[in-house]
Amino acid sequence: MIAERIGSLLIGYALGNVLTAEIVTRKLTGRPCRELGTTGNPGMANVMAHLGFKPGIITLAGDLGKCALSCLLADLLFTPAIGRIAVLYAGVGCTLGHDFPVWQKFHGGKGVATSCLAIFLFSPLWGFVSNVFGMLVTFITQYLCVGGAVLPASFVIPMFVFYGREAGFLSLFLAAVCFMEHFPAIRTIPSGECEKIDVWGKIKAALTKKGTK
């Protein structure tokens, strides 16, 4: 049933093209997101680091929302025919749309938020484990690129073991895409050129500030 798989991918890709960070950045600064920070990445962490906690959360909510909608539509339309794998196809498609949006000449984000939610929606248990592990790596190293590459990679083996080859290869493809997107930053770590972002510190500061009001 190839048509259902392609349909799931296309739904995800179409919605993935909506870059929330681009909307938020242009609204607040009048400039495109590619001019934000040293990375120009249209994602939650970059927006939060340079525009503040609230814009970052709005960006995250938008990216999670488009992935959730993609997976929901694929689930409703195609799960009866091909099973829950439709959700994973939609999540992969959404990540591809976020990373390679056609309207931006295929230059988009890194797909961290969409990957996080896609693997969680497909497998809540192993998705949760992978997300927690990826967040801890990010908090400890302060390198978004490392956490973004590690998170989907940690999801691959459980998929092969518990869900079979198709889910495993889809997860492997997702991990490869995420690694490819983050590798240019990862390779600059030894030289000290890779930007460090204390995401946990910024979250704590925002929560502390809110608590003192």
Side-chain angles (χ1 to χ4, degrees):
M1 298 182 179
I2 301 299
E4 288 80 359
R5 288 165 169 81
I6 294 175
S8 298
L9 279 171
L10 290 178
I11 288 173
Y13 183 80
L15 289 171
N17 268 253
V18 180
L19 300 180
T20 313
E22 188 70 25
I23 298 171
V24 171
T25 303
R26 286 183 180 274
K27 178 69 174 178
L28 294 178
T29 70
R31 297 181 289 114
C33 195
R34 64 176 177 271
E35 298 179 7
L36 189 64
T38 60
T39 66
N41 181 56
M44 178 272 290
N46 191 38
V47 172
M48 183 179 290
H50 298 285
L51 296 180
F53 182 76
K54 185 176 179 180
I57 292 299
I58 293 173
T59 299
L60 176 63
D63 288 345
L64 292 178
K66 69 184 182 184
C67 184
L69 181 57
S70 300
C71 293
L72 175 61
L73 290 174
D75 185 38
L76 292 174
L77 293 173
F78 304 122
T79 290
I82 62 175
R84 290 278 297 165
I85 198 71
V87 172
L88 191 54
Y89 272 100
V92 171
C94 189
T95 298
L96 291 174
H98 181 86
D99 291 359
F100 311 107
V102 64
W103 66 279
Q104 287 279 60
K105 299 180 179 179
F106 304 105
H107 296 292
K110 308 300 183 186
V112 175
T114 54
S115 299
C116 288
L117 187 59
I119 63 179
F120 176 77
L121 291 176
F122 178 72
S123 175
L125 173 60
W126 292 109
F128 176 77
V129 171
S130 298
N131 280 316
V132 170
F133 182 63
M135 284 190 296
L136 289 175
V137 170
T138 302
F139 292 158
I140 293 170
T141 65
Q142 297 185 11
Y143 289 119
L144 302 180
C145 57
V146 175
V150 165
L151 192 155
S154 67
F155 189 66
V156 173
I157 293 178
M159 289 303 96
F160 274 108
V161 173
F162 297 106
Y163 294 95
R165 287 186 299 175
E166 185 174 14
F169 281 118
L170 273 175
S171 300
L172 184 61
F173 175 76
L174 183 62
V177 169
C178 290
F179 180 78
M180 178 185 71
E181 287 294 295
H182 288 96
F183 181 69
I186 292 174
R187 67 188 299 181
T188 65
I189 291 177
S191 66
E193 297 176 21
C194 186
E195 181 182 21
K196 276 192 170 185
I197 298 178
D198 185 6
V199 178
W200 177 241
K202 289 185 176 294
I203 292 174
K204 287 196 299 183
L207 293 175
T208 302
K209 182 178 179 180
K210 184 178 180 180
T212 56
K213 289 183 177 180

